[in-house]
Amino acid sequence: AQSVTQLGSHVSVSEGALVLLRCNYSSSVPPYLFWYVQYPNQGLQLLLKYTTGATLVKGINGFEAEFKKSETSFHLTKPSAHMSDAAEYFCAVYFTGGTSYGKLTFGQGTILTVHP
Amino acid sequence: AAGVIQSPRHLIKEKRETATLKCYPIPRHDTVYWYQQGPGQDPQFLISFYEKMQSDKGSIPDRFSAQQFSDYHSELNMSSLELGDSALYFCASQTRGNSPLHFGNGTRLTVT
């Protein structure tokens, strides 16, 4: 079955520390991968995406993610957390084949808390 | 740059009432999606339209209907509202293919 899983519903880091938000997917066909961020009472904002080409993609606000096909992962990282990064982050997968073809499927979300 | 516009931002209705949510996609986007996000939940796909035709259907109740008009805006009509319909409803648009979805800020529906 095709699915997307975010490991850890809550992640807490200190300001200036590394941010690592994990996302794994299950699919026999390479999907397109996205990370979205949702600030309180706001819509979903695209951080970055991977479709083809370079597997390390850079997004807005200093975030980046690496597509690792062998690990079926697309983890989101940022070298140094800022207070303004506190939000909920969703990994999303657009399956290019199979029963979930054509729909953007979201992970369960990870709430990032940044401590001073 | 123009974004996806949703109206209203907030809506309060009573049980068994009806509600209409509107979505105006980014210009030249031909595909519109509707998502429902319950409290503390991830967004769930409801329905999508491509070139004014329904292209896919997700977990949308029979009490809900939607359509896309000639100007590509879309409306989600919700009838016989239930308390469980209280959620944030997002509209997203894209140019069909692998382009990312662009989301509106959502309509927060509260059913009392």
Side-chain angles (χ1 to χ4, degrees), chain A residues 5-14 18-22 35 85-90 107-115, chain B residues 39-42:
Chain A
T5 303
Q6 289 181 240
L7 298 177
S9 59
H10 291 80
V11 170
S12 181
V13 300
S14 298
L18 171 71
V19 176
L20 171 61
L21 304 182
R22 300 177 187 272
W35 275 99
D85 294 327
E88 187 162 17
Y89 292 79
F90 289 95
Q108 302 90 329
T110 298
I111 295 174
L112 176 66
T113 304
V114 182
H115 297 290
Chain B
Q41 304 293 317
D42 55 287

Side-chain angles (χ1 to χ4, degrees), chain A residues 44 102-104 106, chain B residues 4-9 11 19-25 31-37 42-50 53-61 64-69 72-78 87-94 101-109:
Chain A
L44 292 151
K103 285 191 291 287
L104 189 66
F106 288 86
Chain B
V4 178
I5 306 296
Q6 288 188 248
S7 67
R9 285 298 304 274
L11 189 58
T20 297
L21 279 54
K22 297 185 179 183
C23 168
Y24 297 86
T31 306
V32 167
Y33 298 79
W34 285 97
Y35 282 82
Q36 177 192 57
Q37 185 179 25
D42 55 287
Q44 294 295 315
F45 170 71
L46 291 178
I47 194 167
S48 63
F49 294 89
Y50 169 64
M53 299 289 290
Q54 181 181 309
S55 55
D56 201 357
K57 200 170 182 180
S59 51
I60 184 170
F64 294 5
S65 64
Q67 62 183 118
Q68 186 178 30
F69 294 85
Y72 292 96
H73 95 272
S74 179
E75 294 184 4
L76 178 66
N77 298 294
M78 309 158 73
L88 194 55
Y89 290 84
F90 287 111
C91 167
S93 73
Q94 70 167 167
L101 299 189
H102 293 267
F103 285 84
N105 284 328
T107 294
R108 184 169 294 282
L109 172 67

